[in-house]
């Protein structure tokens, strides 16, 4: 048994100080970190409990919603402001896990959860550049049903597992970060990294950085939004493909669209090509199909997941069709 020390952060500044120490890992709900510790993938010397840090959900003066990093996923999904103004976020969280996990997992921890790639989790028997940089990637040429078709690299084809983060990407959310030297705000779209040659570097966080809050800006399309998840079984499964989308139709044309895809890339995939293809168009099946095809044109599937290209296209077109019908 590997001994692990435990400390409890008394403030955000204390969390920043402790997070910068070698071998220290922040512990929120523990729904991902503790699981990886059991598998030997994560081996921290000290766990720093940050569950005492702010976890409220509040409306700011400008109409934005600020979610404390310690907020439980279940509380976020059930909050009246989230359900009424940002339904895609509530639905994404509810699609993500069991009620027990949602009631433990935190907003900050959700953003930092690591891939569910089976090769990453197999510490004893598989090569993985994300777990051991430079060791190789046994997923390539292996079982790839759940792996990336967009933004992958020769070093890693893993996907990001979060449903919540996909909705946050579509909503132009911003991540508030406290660090050793300053505080800063990182757009959610820039928070997670594509693998490149260093898939082990997963986010824009620096050593000692701590997520403080997630900000949802005011949005006229957020209330006209949805989240759809396609998976191998009805519940408690990670996405093969998911779509978070919001659309505003004015005078018979699409005035604004925000779209993100899950289950297809190393990070929540903001579908900017599809958005650009839709804006100004008359809602139609042809327009939806063309927008989906534009986004997936650069897909590079593996031998075992080529079906994801058509699945993502059909799912996106179906979500857009339903959203526009509601505004007809």
């Amino acid at each position: 048994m590997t001994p692990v020390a435990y400390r409890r952060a008394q403030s955000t500044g204390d969390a920043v100080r402790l997070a910068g120490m070698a071998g220290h890992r922040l512990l929120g709900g523990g729904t991902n970190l503790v699981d990886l510790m059991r598998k030997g993938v994560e081996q921290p010397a000290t766990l720093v409990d940050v569950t005492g840090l702010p976890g409220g959900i509040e409306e700011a003066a400008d109409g934005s919603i600020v979610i404390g990093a310690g907020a439980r996923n279940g509380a976020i999904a059930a909050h009246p402001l989230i359900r009424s103004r940002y339904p895609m976020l509530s639905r994404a969280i509810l699609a993500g896990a069991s009620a027990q996990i949602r009631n433990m997992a935190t907003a900050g921890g959700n953003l930092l959860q690591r891939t569910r790639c089976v090769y990453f989790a197999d510490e004893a028997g598989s090569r993985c550049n994300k777990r051991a940089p430079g060791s190789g990637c046994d997923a390539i040429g292996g079982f790839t049903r759940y792996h990336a078709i967009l933004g992958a690299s020769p070093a890693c084809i893993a996907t990001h597992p979060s449903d919540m983060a996909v909705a946050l990407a579509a909503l132009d959310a911003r991540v508030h970060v406290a660090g050793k030297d300053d505080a800063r705000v990182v757009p959610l779209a820039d928070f997670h990294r594509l693998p490149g040659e260093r898939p082990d570097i997963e986010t824009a966080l620096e050593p000692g950085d701590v997520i403080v809050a997630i900000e949802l800006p005011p949005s006229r399309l957020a209330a006209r939004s949805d989240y759809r998840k396609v998976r191998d079984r009805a519940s408690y499964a990670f996405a093969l493909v998911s779509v978070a989308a919001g659309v505003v139709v004015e005078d018979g044309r699409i005035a604004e669209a925000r779209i993100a895809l899950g289950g297809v890339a190393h990070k929540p995939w903001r579908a900017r090509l599809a958005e650009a293809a839709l804006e100004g168009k008359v809602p139609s099946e042809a327009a939806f199909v063309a927008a989906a095809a534009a986004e997936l044109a650069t897909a590079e599937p593996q031998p075992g997941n080529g079906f994801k290209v058509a699945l993502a296209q059909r799912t996106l077109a179906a979500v857009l069709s339903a959203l526009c019908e509601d505004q007809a």
Side-chain angles (χ1 to χ4, degrees):
M1 179 179 292
T2 303
V4 180
Y6 171 89
R7 302 183 70 172
R8 186 174 177 84
Q10 301 301 313
S11 64
T12 299
D14 193 31
V16 169
R17 179 181 64 82
L18 293 171
M21 294 183 177
H24 287 50
R25 291 295 308 275
L26 301 183
L27 176 70
T31 56
N32 182 217
L33 176 58
V34 173
D35 187 39
L36 293 176
M37 289 173 64
R38 291 193 183 107
K39 296 175 180 178
V41 175
E42 294 276 7
Q43 298 179 333
T46 301
L47 292 176
V48 179
D49 188 334
V50 293
T51 55
L53 300 187
I57 302 171
E58 300 178 352
E59 182 176 9
D62 65 355
S64 61
I65 304 298
V66 179
I67 302 169
R72 304 292 180 173
N73 287 5
I76 300 169
H79 197 282
L81 287 175
I82 302 299
R83 293 178 63 187
S84 61
R85 297 188 192 178
Y86 305 91
M88 76 159 76
L89 178 56
S90 180
R91 293 166 190 167
I93 294 172
L94 293 174
S98 68
Q100 293 92 333
I101 292 176
R102 293 195 300 270
N103 289 336
M104 282 296 296
T106 63
N110 188 287
L111 296 186
L112 295 175
Q113 65 180 301
R114 308 193 73 187
T115 183
R116 265 39 178 213
C117 173
V118 295
Y119 300 97
F120 170 75
D122 182 19
E123 191 272 337
S126 298
R127 298 177 304 153
C128 174
N129 289 316
K130 181 181 286 293
R131 176 169 31 80
S135 63
C137 177
D138 280 346
I140 297 175
F143 179 72
T144 58
R145 180 173 180 81
Y146 299 101
H147 287 74
I149 58 173
L150 292 167
S153 76
C156 183
I157 58 171
T159 54
H160 194 273
S162 175
D163 292 283
M164 175 179 166
V166 178
L168 292 174
L171 291 169
D172 291 316
R174 307 199 306 165
V175 183
H176 292 245
V177 177
K180 292 182 294 184
D181 300 320
D182 59 7
R184 66 188 191 281
V185 178
V186 182
L188 193 283
D190 299 329
F191 183 80
H192 298 99
R193 300 175 72 254
L194 291 177
E197 296 180 357
R198 289 297 305 272
D200 57 305
I201 304 175
E202 299 174 335
T203 72
L205 295 182
E206 301 290 341
D209 281 350
V210 175
I211 298 174
V212 175
I214 299 169
E215 176 188 349
L216 301 174
S219 170
R220 63 174 184 159
L221 64 72
R224 303 178 178 92
S225 67
D226 201 1
Y227 183 81
R228 186 173 300 188
K229 180 177 182 178
V230 182
R231 46 193 164 181
D232 278 332
R233 60 179 187 268
S235 62
Y236 313 150
F238 296 101
L240 292 169
V241 166
S242 65
V243 173
V247 176
V248 173
V249 178
E250 293 179 341
D251 300 324
R253 293 184 179 272
I254 297 172
E256 190 175 359
R258 294 292 181 272
I259 302 165
L261 304 178
V264 297
H266 197 259
K267 59 183 287 185
W269 186 266
R270 182 64 181 268
R272 298 190 187 278
L273 294 176
E275 293 173 358
L278 286 168
E279 292 186 8
K281 298 292 193 303
V282 174
S284 68
E285 185 67 20
F288 305 146
V289 170
E295 191 62 51
L296 275 297
T298 59
E300 296 182 353
Q302 298 294 312
N305 66 6
F307 70 92
K308 280 193 175 187
V309 178
L311 181 60
Q313 291 175 339
R314 291 196 303 269
T315 305
L316 177 52
V319 171
L320 292 171
S321 179
L323 288 172
C324 289
E325 284 179 7
D326 288 345
Q327 299 178 58

